[in-house]
Amino acid sequence: WTRMYFEPADGHELHLSYARQESDDVLYATLMMDAAFDNTDRLVAGYRWDPESGLIRGVRATAYATRVDHWMVDTLRMTATGAPRGWSMGTQANTQIIGGTAEGDLGPVTVGLEAYTRNWNAWTEMAGMGYMRQYSIPDVDMDVLGLSARWSPVLAPRTRLEIGGRIDRVSTAADPNKANVALYYAYHGLESTSRTDTEPSFSLRIGHTFGNDFTLTAGLSHRVRSPDARERYFGLKRMGGDWVGNPELAPPLATGAELGLNWSAGSAFVSATAWADRIDGYVLVYRQQRINMVPGVMNPSAQSYTNVDAFVRGASLDAAMA
């Protein structure tokens, strides 16, 4: 890895970084295959401007690119014994993402933009299927464009407020020549290979400091997560049970509240948080029965994904002492 910083002028900073990671023969005890290789490239370029005066208080921008090349195979497992190729199952996965973010501080308001495109492609071959190549993740593109704003007014010397909002447009599309549409139709009655969602998010957080060592925070939020390529477009025929995505899976929407306490004294620090979320459209892995007869789809059921309503609550406690 390497990282470089430049200061072309007062208040301006540029940085560049690149990392290359190569991992060979990684064993996964809880999976059915191991990684023969897993190679990753990461490239990041960033810019920061901190003006000394004026309406603009700061500008930050980052561009990035990542690529992963990953081969999983069961060569070292008993399942590969006697297999014609020395392995009975293998999966080649490639993914790459190119994108960037930019945000600027205009007084107490921060506005931001995020855009990226991600491609995820994977194929699987199995001896039991005659090493027929199946595009388990069929060259799926995910394009994301997000606009955000955050307002941080000063309510009082010891009280801070932050209000934020964001809207995202997310488009996912699988290669129709690689997608196993027959599986989608057999288990979900669907043949679509693309979908676009536009969803808003927001957050409200207030905090107050009592004395110098105790802070109380409370917040409300509404968040959205777009289903990924595997959840929507995965397709794999297997003996005993297929594995198929759900092309019309809706984005999970989480609405929740959070309460936090922070206390510090000298070298000691304690933080406690409690939260509760109502999730409309939580993505659940389940067993889907076949609903349509399709040539070549013989199993009566498949592992798949569906949306359900869920309620999640929890608490955490952290403490540290120097």
Side-chain angles (χ1 to χ4, degrees):
W1 59 268
T2 182
R3 183 176 296 140
M4 296 177 290
Y5 291 89
F6 306 91
E7 292 186 5
D10 291 342
H12 296 265
E13 180 184 277
L14 296 171
H15 71 265
L16 296 171
S17 65
Y18 169 75
R20 168 74 176 182
Q21 175 182 310
E22 297 184 4
S23 302
D24 299 328
D25 299 323
V26 181
L27 306 181
Y28 293 90
T30 59
L31 301 181
M32 299 176 67
M33 296 184 289
D34 304 302
F37 60 82
D38 186 3
N39 300 330
T40 303
D41 294 282
R42 298 183 182 92
L43 178 65
V44 179
Y47 168 73
R48 183 184 183 96
W49 175 41
D50 294 311
E52 296 182 356
S53 60
L55 176 63
I56 300 176
R57 298 170 53 188
V59 174
R60 298 166 295 280
T62 302
Y64 54 86
T66 301
R67 180 179 61 187
V68 178
D69 186 11
H70 185 55
W71 170 240
M72 294 280 288
V73 70
D74 70 338
T75 304
L76 303 179
R77 306 298 183 96
M78 295 299 294
T79 52
T81 303
R85 297 185 181 180
W87 49 271
S88 70
M89 64 185 79
T91 294
Q92 171 67 43
N94 297 89
T95 183
Q96 62 182 14
I97 182 170
I98 300 175
T101 63
E103 63 177 18
D105 300 325
L106 306 175
V109 177
T110 299
V111 294
L113 169 69
E114 180 179 26
Y116 66 85
T117 180
R118 179 187 181 183
N119 176 268
W120 193 354
N121 188 42
W123 54 259
T124 298
E125 295 178 350
M126 296 180 287
M129 304 288 289
Y131 291 106
M132 176 185 69
R133 179 166 294 187
Q134 300 185 67
Y135 288 94
S136 46
I137 300 179
D139 202 4
V140 179
D141 290 321
M142 174 181 282
D143 298 318
V144 178
L145 177 63
L147 299 173
S148 63
R150 187 171 65 252
W151 180 41
S152 303
V154 178
L155 299 183
R158 293 180 176 272
T159 304
R160 64 183 188 275
L161 175 68
E162 183 178 280
I163 301 173
R166 175 172 169 138
I167 186 166
D168 286 278
R169 185 180 188 273
V170 181
S171 298
T172 56
D175 186 337
N177 296 317
K178 295 180 179 179
N180 198 328
V181 179
L183 284 179
Y184 305 158
Y185 185 73
Y187 292 104
H188 294 289
L190 301 168
E191 295 183 328
S192 61
T193 56
S194 64
R195 173 167 169 152
T196 298
D197 299 290
T198 301
E199 296 288 348
S201 303
F202 75 86
S203 64
L204 171 66
R205 182 178 300 273
I206 188 170
H208 184 79
T209 300
F210 300 87
N212 296 320
D213 53 14
F214 181 74
T215 300
L216 174 66
T217 61
L220 298 173
S221 64
H222 177 77
R223 309 178 304 279
V224 61
R225 178 184 75 83
S226 294
D228 62 28
R230 177 187 53 188
E231 294 168 332
R232 277 188 174 159
Y233 301 114
F234 198 91
L236 186 65
K237 294 181 180 179
R238 303 183 300 182
M239 295 180 61
D242 299 320
W243 186 358
V244 59
N246 184 347
E248 289 300 314
L249 206 61
L253 306 176
T255 303
E258 179 181 299
L259 182 66
L261 300 172
N262 293 322
W263 174 80
S264 61
S267 60
F269 176 79
V270 177
S271 176
T273 305
W275 69 89
D277 286 310
R278 162 76 181 189
I279 305 176
D280 297 318
Y282 179 85
V283 176
L284 178 72
V285 178
Y286 77 119
R287 180 62 58 176
Q288 168 65 41
Q289 300 301 309
R290 188 181 62 202
I291 61 176
N292 290 313
M293 297 296 296
V294 175
V297 181
M298 308 303 296
N299 289 313
S301 65
Q303 176 178 292
S304 190
Y305 307 87
T306 190
N307 293 116
V308 299
D309 292 334
F311 187 75
V312 180
R313 57 185 179 271
S316 65
L317 177 65
D318 299 287
M321 179 174 291

